């Protein structure tokens, strides 16, 4: 655990995602022995009749270990297409929200060596690139929580042995053996081929080390060449960016979980030209520079403004009070909200139109990133960035607090 740090001091909890299965119960046992201030987070997806009972049973088992726990109930998850992906997204959203509520900076999850081999096998079948074949990382920094996988080097039999030795019971989820899912089929294939299983684990380890080296190089390139604006766009030099960096930027600016088309990114990286892809617009700017910005046509529509709501998968609203009927949406035509006394904006109108804004009565009343505020109640409203998953550590935009107003006199 020391190698996976740094860890917070006493008084700052570390969260543990506990499904109730043998893997996560083993993680709970080990985490509780590691430090006293760990908190279990148990998610009930509500997809099986017995799921609530199992979740409550898991909380009781954690309590017997001396670990406090919280039950997180997912609402609105329905069976259908892409259910596993939708469930994963909702599960992590609930886990991250719970981490923020309890003040945890780290979330431990119970992925193990078998999960890693399955992941690499599925990505090989999908013809993933080098990054995909590296599988899951030991630690993944997100917006405000770090996902840590301490059990990734260990096999499932070792985890079963751990819970048995601790005298802890667990839940067996029948869906894990459902061969209609790709992961269950991969698990069955690896159980029948020990050599392939070992080879995939070795491949993941080597590919992961190579990915870390690429991450360091790309982070260095970004530190030297890129300028991140809190409003959700990036300024790049005349030659745009290397393909891997450009792919990560497009994914973050567009608010996507997965990278864009590899062939198009490679083409643009080697022959820069104005383009739109994956909800992102690449446009030339002054002095030969480039802007990587959100594409207007791809943005989410206006939605009711609620404290903590996420708009366009990129911005989360923070405010003290909001009046009835207030909405969050794109700022739209600049002339409608930009104060004439401020002179000409420093940024292109095409970019400013994509900024998150507060609307009331069909009018823009606040654009926090530009310092525009027409109502007293909106003075403390800010939009913090909320990317689904940063491509590299630090590939985030910050928030609206303390932002310099983008204008020229």
């Amino acid at each position: 655990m020391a190698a996976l740090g740094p860890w917070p001091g006493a008084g700052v909890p570390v969260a543990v995602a506990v499904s109730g299965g043998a893997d996560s119960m083993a993680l709970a046992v080990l985490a509780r022995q590691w430090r006293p201030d760990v908190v279990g987070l148990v998610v009930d997806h509500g997809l099986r009749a017995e799921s609530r009972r199992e979740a409550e049973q898991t909380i009781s088992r954690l309590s017997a270990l001396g670990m406090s726990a919280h039950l997180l109930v997912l609402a609105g998850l329905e069976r259908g297409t892409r259910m596993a992906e939708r469930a994963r997204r909702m599960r992590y959203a609930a886990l991250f929200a719970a981490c923020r509520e309890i003040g945890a900076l780290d979330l431990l999850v119970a992925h193990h060596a078998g999960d890693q081999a399955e992941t690499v096998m599925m990505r090989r079948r999908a013809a993933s690139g080098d990054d995909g074949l590296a599988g899951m990382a030991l630690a993944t920094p997100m917006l405000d929580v770090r996902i840590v996988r301490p059990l990734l080097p260990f096999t499932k039999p070792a985890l079963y042995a751990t819970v048995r030795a601790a005298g802890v019971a667990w839940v067996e989820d029948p869906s894990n053996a459902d061969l209609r899912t790709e992961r269950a089929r991969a698990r069955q294939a690896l159980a029948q081929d020990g050599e392939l299983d070992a080879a995939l684990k070795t491949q993941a380890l080597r590919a992961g080390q190579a990915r870390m080296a690429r991450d360091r190089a790309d982070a260095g390139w970004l530190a030297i060449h890129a300028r991140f604006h809190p409003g959700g766009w990036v300024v790049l030099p005349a030659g745009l960016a290397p393909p891997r960096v450009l792919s990560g930027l497009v994914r973050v600016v567009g608010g996507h979980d997965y990278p864009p088309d590899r062939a198009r990114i490679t083409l643009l990286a080697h022959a820069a030209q104005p383009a739109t892809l994956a909800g992102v617009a690449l446009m030339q700017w002054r002095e030969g520079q480039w802007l990587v910005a959100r594409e207007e046509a791809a943005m989410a529509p206006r939605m009711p403004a609620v404290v903590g709501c996420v708009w366009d998968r990129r911005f989360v609203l923070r405010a003290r009070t909001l009046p009835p009927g207030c909405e969050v949406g794109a700022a739209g035509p600049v002339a409608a909200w930009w104060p004439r006394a401020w002179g000409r904006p420093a940024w292109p109108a095409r970019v400013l139109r994509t900024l998150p804004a507060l609307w009331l009565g069909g009018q823009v009343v606040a654009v926090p990133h530009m310092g525009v505020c027409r109502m007293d109640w909106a003075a403390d409203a800010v939009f913090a960035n909320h990317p689904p998953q940063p491509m590299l550590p630090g590939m985030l935009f910050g928030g609206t607090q303390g932002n310099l107003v983008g204008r020229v006199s």
Side-chain angles (χ1 to χ4, degrees), residues 215-228 236 245 392-394:
D215 284 349
R216 286 192 293 269
D218 290 348
W221 190 97
L222 286 165
I224 296 172
H225 299 288
R227 284 194 293 136
F228 289 72
L236 294 177
V245 173
L392 297 170

Side-chain angles (χ1 to χ4, degrees), residues 51-104:
S51 65
R52 175 60 64 86
R53 176 182 56 81
E54 292 174 351
E56 292 174 347
Q57 191 176 48
T58 298
I59 289 179
S60 296
R61 289 168 178 165
L62 294 177
S63 179
L65 293 173
M67 181 187 298
S68 64
H70 299 271
L71 175 61
L72 312 178
V73 179
L74 301 188
L77 179 61
E78 299 178 354
R79 295 188 179 277
T81 58
R82 305 179 73 88
M83 188 184 72
E85 180 181 339
R86 288 185 286 110
R88 181 186 63 83
R89 184 175 295 170
M90 291 179 66
R91 178 170 63 254
Y92 275 108
L95 289 169
F96 293 156
C99 286
R100 286 190 289 270
E101 185 175 342
I102 66 175

Side-chain angles (χ1 to χ4, degrees), residues 237-316:
L240 271 179
R244 188 170 184 265
V245 173
L246 183 60
S247 176
L249 290 171
V250 168
R251 189 171 87 183
V252 171
V253 172
H256 296 292
D257 287 316
Y258 303 104
D261 180 74
R262 203 183 316 162
R264 287 204 65 192
I265 286 291
T266 302
L267 180 63
L268 289 168
H270 289 97
Q273 56 183 307
T276 57
L277 75 160
V280 170
L282 304 181
M283 62 189 84
Q284 286 185 299
W285 198 40
R286 59 192 183 195
E287 300 176 358
Q289 295 176 316
W290 287 84
L291 295 180
V292 182
R294 189 76 163 105
E295 182 186 4
E296 285 184 82
M299 289 191 301
R302 290 208 296 267
M303 61 180 287
V306 179
V307 175
C309 70
V310 176
W311 175 73
D312 201 39
R313 298 203 70 212
R314 300 180 302 136
F315 296 99
V316 58

Side-chain angles (χ1 to χ4, degrees), residues 198-212:
L200 290 177
K201 291 171 183 173
T202 301
Q203 177 184 350
L205 177 61
R206 292 174 179 170
Q209 293 170 339
R211 181 174 61 187
M212 289 173 62

